[in-house]
Amino acid sequence: RGGRRRGGCASRARLVHRRAAGRPDHALPLPLAARLLPVAHRLVPHEGARHPLFGPPVALGPSAPPDHRLLAFLGRDPRPTDTAARSS
């Protein structure tokens, strides 16, 4: 049972990474992002806990969906870029 949990966390981390890397074909499900957001706030509680894994939070509007808020909190800009569009 413990192995399953660790594997699940690793899978979720891969989903977040793929979404942050601009791979919309591997989008993070909104309910999962909503559940992971408070966990991320507990795991990365202050600026000193961010470096070197996470960048500074990215500012988003209050109506941003949970997957965008999670990525932005972890220092990734969830908005599409020209580079991401070109690599598809």
Side-chain angles (χ1 to χ4, degrees):
R1 187 174 176 165
R4 174 186 272 172
R5 257 189 160 182
R6 282 190 296 272
C9 288
S11 295
R12 289 181 195 109
R14 283 192 297 276
L15 276 172
V16 171
H17 174 74
R18 287 176 179 154
R19 178 65 179 93
R23 303 222 12 222
D25 56 322
H26 292 90
L28 184 64
L30 296 180
L32 177 59
R35 291 191 65 169
L36 289 176
L37 190 56
V39 173
H41 281 274
R42 284 193 298 273
L43 292 174
V44 188
H46 55 81
E47 193 62 35
R50 293 184 156 284
H51 185 73
L53 298 176
F54 307 107
V58 174
L60 294 179
S63 63
D67 59 336
H68 286 200
R69 291 194 321 262
L70 176 62
L71 292 169
F73 175 73
L74 296 175
R76 307 283 188 188
D77 192 338
R79 296 167 290 207
T81 64
D82 291 337
T83 306
R86 278 186 265 141
S87 67
S88 301

